[in-house]
Amino acid sequence: MPFIHLSVWLSAIIGVLIIAWIRSFDIYEKETFIAMLWAFLAGGVTSVMVALGIYEFLKIFGLDDAAISTTLGSFLVIGPVEEFAKLTGLVVVYILIKNQFNELTDGVIYMSCVALGFSIIENYFYANAGEGTQYLIVYRAFISTPAHISFSAIIGYAWYRHKRENKPFGSVIVALVVASLLHGIFDALAFSPYFNFLLLIYLYLVIRQTLRVVQYTNIISPFRPGFAALFEHSAGEAVEKMECPNCGSVAPKELYRNRFFSACRCDSCGYHIASRSDIRKIFRIFAPEYKRLGRKLVPARFSDGRTVMSVYGSAFFGSNGNLVFFRISDLADRLQAINDEMANHFRKRSFISANLLKRFFD
């Protein structure tokens, strides 16, 4: 297989891994791979055709590749043209699979698929641009593909809110401007012989911002169930011979099971019990900080003098570290407090200006 074709496949694999990574944060109502494939194909082809058409039109005015491959061209031409093209691709995808757009996270997911399609097709053109392009293709596979996906996430966010929540179309325009600016900065750094060393740092910041957008959409997802509500009905089974990590009781314990986790209740002390794995799932699903469990552990002291490790002082580890005990109300309050803090942090300290974000939240 020629190296340039191998490079295109490499960029495709990297892009798919990024989409799968983003999809892993679509916690409550995951999109099907078939729908995502449709978005990748239809959105990618549409966006590339639109971008090529605009670039050909601009050549009439002498704005060829050499003329726009500058810092000024990055901000005034490349960023706006390519982000507008990807928005057009998203519009086509929305028309084709409108019913799949049923939560805010979907806007980000499908926009990411469109951006991936755009990047893969663009990489193919670069791969066939002539001799000596192999190093450029490797660069584009590892850098440009994740960059394209990250720039456009905010457009998918705004588009969903416009179509499904009746937000003004002006919010989409603002998102398009923001994405174009992010894209323009990236290309300006890439074209600069003095500042291109900042490219990876900048990309890291943009990817972090994309993750925060996805995080916020999870927090406000209509499919996120109430934590306490999952304990309203038991599984009708009992767990035998489990020693309560709090009081030591080995009496049978009522089991609660749902699609997210399992837990049981100790009637002797009133605490609920879950495995270390299940408590990790609880915090990931109901308070998606995307932190390792170890970073959430703090010591907690009980009134009887015991000191145990806990998850934010709301779920407590037994002596062997494999079982965790908690009170539903206390843990539910802690999860909600974490979500409120994350939402406020995103709005106030986002990489994107808070004034611009008011367009989306108000």
Side-chain angles (χ1 to χ4, degrees):
M1 178 183 293
F3 182 81
I4 55 175
H5 293 162
L6 181 63
S7 299
V8 172
W9 277 107
L10 178 63
S11 65
I13 292 171
I14 292 172
V16 169
L17 289 175
I18 293 172
I19 295 295
W21 180 63
I22 293 175
R23 184 178 182 269
S24 71
F25 298 113
D26 185 10
I27 299 172
Y28 310 110
E29 206 267 336
K30 287 187 181 294
E31 302 310 299
T32 66
F33 278 107
I34 295 298
M36 294 172 70
L37 180 61
W38 267 111
F40 166 77
L41 294 174
V45 170
T46 300
S47 57
V48 168
M49 290 177 63
V50 170
L52 289 176
I54 295 175
Y55 282 137
E56 287 299 317
F57 176 75
L58 292 176
K59 287 180 181 179
I60 298 175
F61 304 97
L63 296 175
D64 56 12
D65 291 345
I68 64 176
S69 297
T70 62
T71 299
L72 190 61
S74 299
F75 287 102
L76 298 183
V77 180
I78 299 176
V81 167
E82 296 190 359
E83 295 308 317
F84 172 77
K86 285 184 276 186
L87 171 59
T88 306
L90 180 63
V91 172
V92 171
V93 170
Y94 181 79
I95 293 172
L96 292 175
I97 54 174
K98 179 179 179 179
N99 292 336
Q100 297 294 325
F101 285 73
N102 52 19
E103 67 169 325
L104 190 51
T105 310
D106 297 346
V108 179
I109 295 293
Y110 288 118
M111 184 72 250
S112 298
C113 293
V114 172
L116 173 61
F118 179 92
S119 180
I120 297 306
I121 298 172
E122 184 182 51
N123 288 352
Y124 178 80
F125 285 130
Y126 274 100
N128 288 276
E131 296 296 329
T133 59
Q134 55 266 40
Y135 298 110
L136 177 62
I137 295 303
V138 172
Y139 157 80
R140 294 193 61 82
F142 283 97
I143 305 296
S144 293
T145 296
H148 270 294
I149 293 171
S150 300
F151 300 148
S152 306
I154 196 71
I155 298 178
Y157 174 94
W159 176 257
Y160 179 92
R161 300 205 74 168
H162 165 61
K163 298 302 292 185
R164 293 301 202 183
E165 300 177 7
N166 297 317
K167 293 291 183 180
F169 185 73
S171 63
V172 179
I173 299 300
V174 171
L176 179 61
V177 171
V178 170
S180 300
L181 179 62
L182 295 175
H183 194 148
I185 294 173
F186 178 86
D187 283 346
L189 290 174
F191 292 142
S192 171
Y194 306 107
F195 299 106
N196 54 17
F197 68 93
L198 296 173
L199 205 58
L200 290 178
I201 298 174
Y202 176 71
L203 180 59
Y204 169 76
L205 293 174
V206 175
I207 291 176
R208 277 181 59 89
Q209 175 62 38
T210 300
L211 187 56
R212 287 177 181 173
V213 172
V214 178
Q215 183 184 58
Y216 182 78
T217 64
N218 274 323
I219 292 172
I220 63 174
S221 171
F223 296 104
R224 183 165 71 95
F227 177 71
L230 296 175
F231 292 89
E232 292 178 355
H233 304 286
S234 71
E237 304 174 29
V239 179
E240 303 286 346
K241 299 180 180 179
M242 173 186 283
E243 181 179 343
C244 176
N246 178 48
C247 68
S249 171
V250 293
K253 296 169 178 60
E254 192 171 18
L255 178 66
Y256 296 83
R257 183 188 295 122
N258 54 69
R259 67 190 181 100
F260 301 113
F261 64 89
S262 297
C264 57
R265 185 180 189 278
C266 176
D267 289 331
S268 298
C269 64
Y271 277 90
H272 283 73
I273 305 166
S275 68
R276 184 185 186 94
S277 174
D278 280 317
I279 206 68
R280 182 184 292 112
K281 293 176 184 177
I282 287 171
F283 274 89
R284 174 177 170 79
I285 292 168
F286 297 95
E289 291 181 287
Y290 311 145
K291 290 181 181 179
R292 295 191 304 273
L293 186 63
R295 296 178 60 189
K296 306 175 185 180
L297 300 184
V298 295
R301 186 175 179 84
F302 282 79
S303 58
D304 60 7
R306 286 180 298 160
T307 299
V308 300
M309 293 305 295
S310 72
V311 186
Y312 293 141
S314 58
F316 311 97
F317 284 89
S319 57
N320 63 7
N322 294 324
L323 294 177
V324 180
F325 58 98
F326 58 89
R327 294 194 185 278
I328 295 174
S329 59
D330 293 343
L331 184 50
D333 289 344
R334 171 56 63 182
L335 294 171
Q336 187 58 51
I338 293 171
N339 287 326
D340 291 343
E341 182 181 355
M342 286 191 294
N344 290 332
H345 182 273
F346 176 66
R347 295 174 183 177
K348 294 178 180 179
R349 300 180 61 186
S350 173
F351 180 60
I352 300 172
S353 165
N355 290 330
L356 291 178
L357 286 172
K358 287 181 180 179
R359 291 268 190 161
F360 305 133
F361 297 119
D362 296 341

